[in-house]
Amino acid sequence: MNQSDLSQTQQAILDFIAERIETDGVAPAQTEIARAFGFKGVRAAQYHLEALEAAGAIARSPGKARSLKLLRPPSRVQAALDLETLSEDAMRLPILGQVAAGAPIGADIGSDSYVVLDRVFFSPKPDYLLRVKGDSMRDEGIFDGDLIGVHRTNDARNGQIVVARIDEEITVKLFRNGRDGIRLLPRNPDYAPIEVMPGQDFAIEGLYCGLIRPSA
């Protein structure tokens, strides 16, 4: 296996590893990779890391945390070269899976595709796209099948639309944090709010920052 045989998800993980090494000085842990890409557990991250190692793109030290080393440049280097022929406002974004606008669903790790988009569609700048499933956010203009841009962050203010993880399930909702706890609110009266209960594994994965609607 060589690097040209990698899936788009594996190329995106390679980019993510390179970015974290560049900004933090250390490689991300497997749990961080799993969370960043919406995997249900670390086993999916391990599978992709094994593929990267088999392709000679990374090296790992068994039993040693954060021991990933890059052996070849990530795809973002080639992506930057590809974008030289495009507008300076163009972005190449991975579609990492799907997110529920309804009851939470597991993230789909089967999407291995990229799209090139103009920055004008989004604010702040997105890190990836997720495909919406369901219509609980229809009154915000977010419909089933839309691709939403997600800016990676663990912080959110009341009233912002977030992509959140609840017990390893992913959903997009309006964020509220009050005296009675965290609530994730739909924007469709046919759906009930989601109450985040004490003891649940909850995290904000990112902020909604715009969408595109694929043509039929």
Side-chain angles (χ1 to χ4, degrees), residues 31-139:
T31 53
E32 292 171 326
I33 294 172
R35 179 175 297 181
F37 285 84
F39 300 152
K40 281 194 170 184
V42 296
R43 184 66 194 97
Q46 289 171 354
Y47 166 80
H48 290 300
L49 290 175
E50 288 166 2
L52 290 170
E53 189 171 29
I58 64 170
R60 297 186 294 168
S61 299
K64 212 172 167 187
R66 300 179 184 272
S67 64
L68 297 174
K69 292 183 180 179
L70 291 178
L71 301 181
R72 298 185 189 178
S75 64
R76 65 193 176 104
V77 174
Q78 183 60 49
L81 294 174
D82 293 342
L83 287 175
E84 286 181 358
T85 60
L86 300 172
S87 163
E88 63 181 11
D89 292 325
M91 298 180 298
R92 184 174 183 263
L93 296 172
I95 303 173
L96 297 186
Q98 64 183 17
V99 60
I105 58 173
D108 173 13
I109 65 172
S111 283
D112 290 331
S113 58
Y114 283 80
V115 294
V116 176
L117 298 170
D118 196 304
R119 295 177 192 270
V120 72
F121 292 114
F122 303 98
S123 180
K125 180 183 176 183
D127 294 294
Y128 58 91
L129 300 172
L130 290 174
R131 191 178 301 279
V132 173
K133 184 178 178 66
D135 63 353
S136 76
M137 297 299 288
R138 72 178 189 193
D139 291 348

